[in-house]
Amino acid sequence: MTTRIPNVFHFVFGLRRQTEPFHLAFYLCLESCWRVNRPDEILVYYHHEPYGRYWELAKRRVTPVRVPLGGVVEGFRYRDPAVAAFRYAHHADFVRLERLLAHGGIYADIDTIFVRPFPAHLREQRFVLGRERDVAPAGVDRPQRSLCNAVIMAEPNAEFGRRWLEAMPRAFDGSWSNHSTLLPQRLSEEHPELIHVEPPRTFYKHEWTRAGIRTLLQELDDDTEGVVSMHLWSHLWWSRHRRDFSSFHAGRLTERYLARVDTTYNIVARRYLPAPLALRDRIRWRVRDLRHRPARDGLPRIGALPLLAER
């Protein structure tokens, strides 16, 4: 059956220098995408190629594509140097739309886990976004409606996507949400005929709040009816130094934890765990990772950065 939106998936990673091996959570995203959606192709766009055992496993499933860095984000002067450390994420906001419009398909952030195949009726739409919890930009009195860009579905050269991409340079102000989630909301109000909006449950049942993140990573909600994918909001808890949203951090998200502890995320993700390594293989990969890791001198400590206003 022919559909508007092709069964091609797009991911963006490695737009900043890689100092740690590709994480288990990212491998599970790609593996679950492959096994749940049976895509025709998975494209991973990077500037600095990932490394490590999980990347080598993931490469069996994906087509890596190196992309340049440039445009409005590269030359933007951030007023706050702490926020400037998120330049890589802003680059990704542009790359995802550019590549999605060129090929069509489905984009997802790499901290996603796929639960069930995308419904056929969604792939008949021209452009699809999911609603997330309202956000409160700095200097605004009340929260505003927001369409999250962590999952985007589009036919090739979709008109809504073109309008969004054309308006992004003017909307880009260095904040997290203005160009990426508030702008598409405004465009959806101006051109509702060009977009289909899914309710939060489809892609974002568990919100980017302390309660939502705790439910995902440390508690168990086994009601996945109507849930296509789960987004982990990893930028809010990834570093062990960041505690404003969760005491959980990426170092705790291990194969052992996924296999032995029943949480909302673990129950879904554990079915995609790789085969266990023998002790000598674990040692071998650890040595390879240490040899590959670049020096960290001069790199910002992301976990020590202040909370962005919108989150």
Side-chain angles (χ1 to χ4, degrees), residues 281-300:
D281 292 323
R282 292 202 300 271
I283 294 172
R284 182 182 299 121
W285 273 106
R286 179 59 176 160
V287 170
R288 288 181 183 178
D289 290 346
L290 289 172
R291 287 175 176 171
H292 194 289
R293 178 186 296 169
R296 293 187 178 184
D297 292 345
L299 292 178

Side-chain angles (χ1 to χ4, degrees), residues 18 46 110 116 192 221 247 296 304:
Q18 297 301 291
Y46 72 93
I110 207 162
R116 55 174 47 84
D221 172 13
S247 60
R296 293 187 178 184

Side-chain angles (χ1 to χ4, degrees), residues 97-227:
L97 270 181
E98 292 166 353
R99 300 295 167 151
L100 194 57
L101 289 175
H103 301 282
I106 300 172
Y107 166 84
D109 279 1
I110 207 162
D111 59 343
T112 299
I113 194 76
F114 294 90
V115 180
R116 55 174 47 84
F118 285 75
H121 74 272
L122 289 185
R123 303 199 34 204
E124 291 298 330
Q125 304 295 328
R126 290 183 168 85
F127 201 92
V128 179
L129 289 173
R131 186 158 305 287
E132 66 169 343
R133 180 186 177 93
D134 293 354
V135 302
V140 176
D141 293 336
R142 58 183 180 179
Q144 298 183 9
R145 302 189 82 193
S146 181
L147 294 178
C148 189
N149 69 343
V151 175
I152 309 172
M153 305 177 66
E155 67 177 353
N157 203 33
E159 184 174 350
F160 186 91
R162 293 202 316 270
R163 290 175 180 265
W164 184 4
L165 187 58
E166 289 168 3
M168 276 177 66
R170 297 188 300 275
F172 182 69
D173 59 5
S175 67
W176 190 264
S177 297
N178 192 54
H179 65 286
S180 58
T181 71
L182 299 180
L183 174 58
Q185 172 61 37
R186 294 192 292 269
L187 290 173
S188 74
E189 295 167 1
E190 297 169 6
H191 304 283
E193 75 283 0
L194 299 180
I195 184 173
H196 171 82
V197 177
E198 276 293 290
R201 185 180 186 93
T202 308
F203 307 132
Y204 314 114
K205 181 186 178 188
H206 306 98
E207 300 175 336
W208 50 263
T209 61
R210 288 187 66 88
I213 293 170
R214 184 173 62 250
T215 301
L216 273 170
L217 301 175
Q218 297 174 279
E219 298 177 351
L220 177 59
D221 172 13
D222 59 3
D223 175 15
T224 62
E225 182 66 29
V227 174

Side-chain angles (χ1 to χ4, degrees), residues 48 50 91 116 172 209 231 273 304:
H48 301 281
H91 273 302
R116 55 174 47 84
F172 182 69
T209 61
H231 183 48
L273 285 170

